[in-house]
Amino acid sequence: MERAQNLLDTISDNVAELNKAERKVAEAILANPEQATRFSIAALAQAAGVSEPTVNRFCRSFNIQGYPELKIQLAQSLASGATYVSRAVEADDSVEDYTQKIFASTIASLESALQSCDTKQISKAVDLLIQARQIHFFGLGASASVALDAQHKFFRFNLAVSAQVDVLMQRMITAVAHTGDVFVILSYTGRTRDLVEVAREARENGASVIGITAAGSPLAQVCSVCLAIPDQEDTDIYMPMTSRLIQLTVLDVLATGVTLRRGSDFQPHLRKIKESLLPTRYQPGSDSTDSDDDAQ
């Protein structure tokens, strides 16, 4: 069966074609699709009165690669309006409706990203970051803020780190790249021409390139290491939402990997950075409204 844009309509139209067990799964989903987006595979199997392998067979019947993707498609199919915001939301949703839908879609997207994670590629990326002479994070558009967040995290590792969100700066930096430089390029689609070009030039100049991008994309094909993320969000039409959160989570994984590789000897350095912030904050239990006059 071919999967239409609205999965719920597709399931409803094809219920009669399913076998008895898979029909129970379809009926459980159609009875309460919003609840189904919150179910684990075990919970959905129990609600339908079938086994977990039956749920997986149901997914394959609709050309869906596993249960996490099913939950994403269900969340997106609950509504098809609210263009440029999210395909999971429609224009007349209540606050409760769109809040629940956005959270459900985000959770399902992160679950799908986790299922597709290649830990061998993550290990290779951490190796490159540990050995880097300097690290550059590149992002454009919605990925620009993610690149800046990465700079905020990775400068703590006592490495030369920069974040560049301007195409001209990106081109100039890659033009003088050397062996030992590592470029982390963030692009959800992997189809941004400028980012593909700077990635290619960085490789030609001897640098390593880590791509956090869609598998098989033009960017992925020119990277030293590709950390593939599921291409579930149509950012050509809708405002980027879950894609940005997946990128941030992957960067958290890399930062954690670098911290653990550095070992306990590196902890005093991180502690010193944290302690430098103490004078900038009110301490727990203090009254920030107290003035010198009040204290007298």
Side-chain angles (χ1 to χ4, degrees), residues 166-176 194 197-198 201:
D166 175 83
V167 170
L168 299 181
M169 284 298 299
Q170 292 173 354
R171 286 183 175 275
M172 288 188 286
I173 290 172
T174 52
V176 295
D194 288 311
E197 290 175 355
V198 296
E201 183 170 14

Side-chain angles (χ1 to χ4, degrees), residues 139-152:
L140 297 173
S143 295
S145 61
V146 181
L148 293 169
D149 181 80
Q151 179 189 34
H152 183 265

Side-chain angles (χ1 to χ4, degrees), residues 113-130 154 182 184 210-212 224-229 246-247 249-258 260-261:
L114 174 60
Q115 294 299 319
S116 66
C117 266
D118 186 336
T119 54
K120 291 182 180 179
Q121 291 295 97
I122 291 173
S123 183
K124 290 179 181 178
V126 171
D127 285 340
L128 290 175
L129 293 168
I130 286 287
F154 279 80
V182 174
V184 181
I210 300 170
I212 300 179
S224 312
V225 174
C226 177
L227 303 181
I229 55 178
I246 293 172
Q247 289 175 335
T249 303
V250 171
L251 285 166
D252 284 345
V253 170
L254 294 178
T256 301
V258 171
L260 295 177
R261 292 281 184 90

Side-chain angles (χ1 to χ4, degrees), residues 282 286-292 294:
Y282 291 112
S286 67
D287 186 351
S288 62
T289 62
D290 283 346
S291 65
D292 290 340
D294 294 332

